[in-house]
Amino acid sequence: MSDAEQQRNIRRTALIFAGVAVVFYIGFIMIGVLRA
Amino acid sequence: MNEHVIDAPAHDASHDDHDHHGPAKGIKRWLFTTNHKDIGTMYLIFSLVMFFIGGSMALVIRSELFQPGLQFVHPEFFNQMTTMHALIMVFGAVMPAFVGLANWMIPMQIGAPDMALPRMNNWSFWILPVAFGILLSTLFMPGGAPASGWTMYPPLVLQTGDAFPFLIFSVHLMGLSSIMGAINIIVTILNMRAPDMWLLKMPMFVWTWLITAYLLIAVMPVLAGAVTMLLTDQFFGTSFFLAAGGGDPVMFQHIFWFFGHPEVYIMILPAFGVVSEIIPTFARKPLFGHDSMVYAASCIAFLSFIVWAHHMFTVGMPLSGQLFFMFATMLIAVPTGVKVFNWVATMWRGAMTFETPMLFSLAFVFLFTLGGLSGLMLAVVPSDIQYHDSYFVVAHFHYVLVPGSIFALFAAAYYWLPKWTGHMYSETAGKIHFWASTIFVNVTFFPMHFLGLAGMPRRIPDYSTQFTDFNSIASIGAIGFGLSQLVFVYVLLTAKKGEKATDRVWEGSHGLEWTVPSPAPYHTFDTPPVKRIAEESFE
């Protein structure tokens, strides 16, 4: 694997998991909004 | 193909070689460092400082409870101490200590030159002193520090004084730091492993941290969401949790414990990893059932998401809900049992020696299991209704967290200290630290089982006289445990004065970290250590 390819994979994995974290944050607030 | 990789430089020719000089000098080294070892060291020192701050709060609590009646502090301050002790120990001591170990050891154990996102690593750490500076500053605010317990249940938490927004902000910062740390660990493990370091070949410490990082990503945003809603309820006119406005305070408890129960495993899974590294070394045998340990840890992580309401049996829920959460909770004993039996099987007929890391690991196996057994008792709905909010619960989670997580942290510190400093620590002092800690931890927390079963509620500054004897014993134990930790400080202060450590350090140690010199060089594995991986394999 080239360095550039590895960098791309690192960035992609980081973004995916950051996205998951954001979805969980907003999702649980939405549970509160929908229930209220 | 592998040979090509062995010879490949870690960075391509266009990359500047700033990574290859040594550390910067002075304060700048620590402020701006992107080196995983420096950042790991900062995490470990920070968590030790927090351990002593949180510990001194525990001593305030135990001093007050030495005798019935009010002795030293006002009840309001007592409640602030219980709340701050828990927040500091959970978020400031145990979690950052394991992140520190992860920073130090994961790149070295998987043959990577550093963490995948070094600048974010620096940021993850430096958020923490700010977060805890804010949290500790609330002690000096009008109304004092938060006093509603670490669970921050509304509507009680909304009665916090000026400290309230600072509490919420500091919890957000702690969460941000943990999430960034977790992303970094996942990305590093998935993308930076040396060739031939297959997933199932990874050391157990790396595996348990990978699973822990997934848990962190899933649940820290949930806590952040919950406290954001608390903030808007207090300041922006919403009624998420306010019954008067149509909200539901019990919903906070569901959301909090959806975070809170996996949080328990966030604090114990890396401890499982540490013990799984140490026991094979000092038993001089490969870990029994490495792959089953991985599956068991994954199973525990999955189950941790479907048991949260066992913290809320007394709140009220349908019978079917009680049964589901009871059985799901009891199910966790199965993969945990797999782990305990595997550790025992690893030791079976091993050529065991009992250096300090092994002693702490053995105590971990015994005493964590004891905490697990009282956890099983609490899982049973009818008995939990009796034990809920009593000192039995306090005894249970302290057995899991102190001789569990914290003993594993001590074991890890003694195990890897020679690799970090290049010198052997004082084994005599280590053994004194172990025996004093083990005796006093039991003197402190074992009587709490009896207090709880006899009906003493938790989080009270005063109690009925029939509880006096066991409380006095627990307080003496706590003071002894606190003083025992000074021996650990002595060990750390003299850590560089012992004899020179070999690269291998321990006779039975296996793994990439033991193939580099002691102390570990500032930069390790600039080229992937493929040959060493084959040589270091236990198989």
Side-chain angles (χ1 to χ4, degrees), chain B residues 452-486:
Chain B
L453 293 176
M456 179 171 161
R458 59 190 290 207
R459 292 171 170 153
I460 52 163
D462 189 9
Y463 50 81
S464 304
T465 48
Q466 73 265 28
F467 302 129
T468 307
D469 290 347
F470 283 131
N471 267 300
S472 301
I473 293 169
S475 295
I476 290 167
I479 292 164
F481 185 77
L483 291 175
S484 309
Q485 304 323 308
L486 299 178

Side-chain angles (χ1 to χ4, degrees), chain B residues 263-334:
Chain B
E263 171 67 22
V264 174
Y265 295 97
I266 286 165
M267 290 189 283
I268 205 65
L269 283 177
F272 288 169
V274 165
V275 171
S276 303
E277 298 285 323
I278 292 172
I279 288 178
T281 295
F282 294 98
R284 292 163 180 78
K285 277 177 64 189
L287 180 66
F288 184 90
H290 174 279
D291 295 0
S292 68
M293 289 293 233
V294 172
Y295 300 134
S298 310
C299 190
I300 290 170
F302 169 74
L303 289 172
S304 76
F305 284 107
I306 55 167
V307 297
W308 77 89
H310 66 215
H311 296 270
M312 302 166 55
F313 282 146
T314 56
V315 170
M317 68 182 79
L319 181 64
S320 54
Q322 290 184 332
L323 288 173
F324 173 82
F325 286 109
M326 175 173 79
F327 289 130
T329 305
M330 294 169 86
L331 211 54
I332 295 180
V334 177

Side-chain angles (χ1 to χ4, degrees), chain B residues 35-316:
Chain B
N35 181 285
H36 71 102
K37 298 183 184 83
D38 279 351
I39 294 172
T41 303
M42 290 196 294
Y43 265 112
L44 290 170
I45 292 171
F46 174 81
S47 61
L48 189 66
V49 171
M50 286 294 132
F51 176 62
F52 279 102
I53 294 174
S56 48
M57 291 171 175
L59 290 183
V60 172
I61 295 167
R62 284 314 324 167
S63 303
E64 180 56 51
L65 293 175
F66 184 74
Q67 282 190 322
L70 297 179
Q71 319 289 325
F72 302 110
V73 295
H74 290 290
E76 296 81 9
F77 188 70
F78 183 91
N79 289 341
Q80 293 172 28
M81 287 292 100
T82 55
T83 305
M84 295 289 275
H85 163 73
L87 285 170
I88 286 171
M89 286 305 202
V90 170
F91 294 108
V94 175
M95 287 171 68
F98 279 122
V99 178
L101 291 177
N103 260 290
W104 249 102
M105 303 317 301
I106 286 176
M108 288 212 286
Q109 289 190 321
I110 62 172
D114 205 309
M115 297 295 280
L117 303 156
R119 290 191 186 99
M120 193 168 84
N121 206 13
N122 174 294
W123 197 28
S124 303
F125 171 75
W126 279 110
I127 283 176
L128 276 183
V130 177
F132 283 91
I134 290 169
L135 185 65
L136 287 169
S137 73
T138 60
L139 282 163
F140 307 101
M141 290 178 183
S148 58
W150 85 290
T151 51
M152 299 175 282
Y153 282 175
L156 185 60
V157 72
L158 301 176
Q159 296 172 21
T160 307
D162 290 358
F164 181 76
F166 295 91
L167 166 71
I168 302 298
F169 187 45
S170 65
V171 171
H172 273 122
L173 289 179
M174 294 167 203
L176 192 64
S177 166
S178 293
I179 291 166
M180 289 197 299
I183 290 174
N184 217 341
I185 287 166
I186 292 174
V187 174
T188 303
I189 295 172
L190 295 187
N191 293 290
M192 303 275 285
R193 296 192 317 280
D196 280 6
M197 179 58 79
W198 323 311
L199 282 175
L200 274 176
K201 207 172 188 177
M202 293 193 310
M204 272 312 293
F205 181 67
V206 181
W207 255 113
T208 51
W209 241 118
L210 179 63
I211 296 164
T212 303
Y214 280 118
L215 289 182
L216 278 166
I217 300 274
V219 300
M220 290 310 289
V222 177
L223 174 68
V227 297
T228 301
M229 288 186 268
L230 282 180
L231 188 79
T232 60
D233 272 4
Q234 181 79 321
F235 294 114
F236 300 103
T238 59
S239 296
F240 288 113
F241 308 125
L242 298 176
D248 182 5
V250 175
M251 185 175 69
F252 179 87
Q253 297 187 24
H254 280 290
I255 297 175
F256 180 86
W257 286 114
F258 186 82
F259 144 80
H261 199 79
E263 171 67 22
V264 174
Y265 295 97
I266 286 165
M267 290 189 283
I268 205 65
L269 283 177
F272 288 169
V274 165
V275 171
S276 303
E277 298 285 323
I278 292 172
I279 288 178
T281 295
F282 294 98
R284 292 163 180 78
K285 277 177 64 189
L287 180 66
F288 184 90
H290 174 279
D291 295 0
S292 68
M293 289 293 233
V294 172
Y295 300 134
S298 310
C299 190
I300 290 170
F302 169 74
L303 289 172
S304 76
F305 284 107
I306 55 167
V307 297
W308 77 89
H310 66 215
H311 296 270
M312 302 166 55
F313 282 146
T314 56
V315 170

